[in-house]
Amino acid sequence: MQPEFVIPIIIFCGALIYATFGFGDALFAMPFLSVLLGIKTATPLMTLNGCTLATILFIRHYKEIDWKSAKKLVIASVFGIPIGIYFLKNGNEQLTKIILGCIIIGVSFYNLFLKKENSSTKLHPNLVYVFGFIAGILGGAFNTGGPPIVIFGTLNGWSQMQFVSTLQGYFLPSDIFILICQFFAGLLNKTVFHYYMIGLPFLLIGLLAGSKLRKRIPEGKFNKYVFVLLLLIGILFVTRSVLLF
C-alpha cells in the first residue's frame, strides 16, 4: 500500500490521541512513520503536526496553563533540543528508545499498581529543569518529548484541564524551536511538507473527535488513563527497539 494512503490514517489516530490526552501523537505515529518514511523524514513531519495541534489547543485553553511550570520546562528544553538534533543525525536510536521505554514502563507500572490510592508525590521544585532538559533531548531527537513532561505533570497533581493546557504551553514554543533547529540541520524539505499537507485534513478531523472524547473522561479517571497510555507506549518502544537492535 502506498504511503499516501496509510500516512493520513496514522496522522488521524495520532491527532485523536493528542486531542484526548494533550500528548501522544508522535509516540503513537513515530514507530509506523519511521518504517514508511525513515526517521529523518518522520521526525520533522511529526514536529509540524505537533506544532499545528499545540497551536490550536493553546489558543483554546491558554487560560488554564500553569505558566510558571511551562516557562521553566521550556527554558530547560532549549538546552536539550540541540543535543537531540545532533543525536538524530549521528546517534543510536534503538538504544535510546530501549532506555526511554524502560523508564516509562517503570513509572507507569508504579503509578498504576504500586502507588497507594491516597498517597501523594512531592517533587523538588528544581526537578522541573531536569524533566524539561530530558524532554528537550527526546523532542529534538525523535519528537517524543512528551513522556517526561507528562510524568512531571501527573506527579505534581495537575487537574485534567490544567494537564492538557499546560502541555500546550510547553509543546508550542518547544516545537517552534525544534522546527528552527531542524531547518538549519537541513531536515525540513519538500518531502516533509508534501506529507504534512496530505495529512493535514485528517489531523484536523482527529483533533475535533479527540476534543469531544476528552470531555467524556471523568476527572478522577484521567490520570489513570494517561498512565495506561504511557505503559502501552513504553512496551511498544522496548519491544520494537529490541527487535531492531
Side-chain angles (χ1 to χ4, degrees), residues 42-155:
T43 296
L45 171 61
M46 287 310 301
T47 306
L48 283 171
N49 289 338
C51 192
T52 303
L53 291 166
T55 299
I56 296 172
L57 290 183
F58 179 90
I59 292 171
R60 292 176 62 182
H61 303 301
Y62 70 92
K63 292 182 179 179
E64 290 85 8
I65 293 175
D66 179 350
W67 290 104
K68 184 177 180 181
S69 295
K71 182 175 69 174
K72 292 179 179 179
L73 289 167
V74 170
I75 291 172
S77 71
V78 165
F79 293 95
I81 287 170
I83 298 173
I85 295 290
Y86 174 83
F87 195 85
L88 173 62
K89 301 186 72 174
N90 304 284
N92 189 321
E93 173 192 352
Q94 306 309 328
L95 178 60
T96 304
K97 286 188 174 182
I98 291 172
I99 296 172
L100 172 62
C102 289
I103 294 172
I104 294 172
I105 290 172
V107 173
S108 302
F109 189 87
Y110 168 77
N111 280 275
L112 286 171
F113 305 112
L114 300 179
K115 185 179 178 181
K116 294 181 180 179
E117 189 70 26
N118 296 321
S119 64
S120 59
T121 305
K122 280 289 184 181
L123 294 178
H124 190 281
N126 289 335
L127 282 177
V128 64
Y129 296 107
V130 177
F131 281 92
F133 180 72
I134 296 173
I137 294 175
L138 295 173
F142 314 117
N143 199 43
T144 53
I149 308 301
V150 170
I151 292 170
F152 174 81
T154 51
L155 293 181

Side-chain angles (χ1 to χ4, degrees), residues 155-168:
L155 293 181
N156 274 279
W158 288 348
S159 67
Q160 177 176 337
M161 201 65 255
Q162 187 183 26
F163 184 92
V164 173
S165 303
T166 305
L167 284 178
Q168 312 320 308

Side-chain angles (χ1 to χ4, degrees), residues 158-198:
W158 288 348
S159 67
Q160 177 176 337
M161 201 65 255
Q162 187 183 26
F163 184 92
V164 173
S165 303
T166 305
L167 284 178
Q168 312 320 308
Y170 165 78
F171 281 136
L172 181 56
S174 176
D175 284 347
I176 291 173
F177 185 65
I178 290 173
L179 284 173
I180 293 172
C181 292
Q182 289 173 344
F183 172 78
F184 285 107
L187 295 170
L188 287 174
N189 51 48
K190 291 181 179 180
T191 302
V192 173
F193 284 105
H194 168 72
Y195 287 114
Y196 172 71
M197 294 307 299
I198 289 176

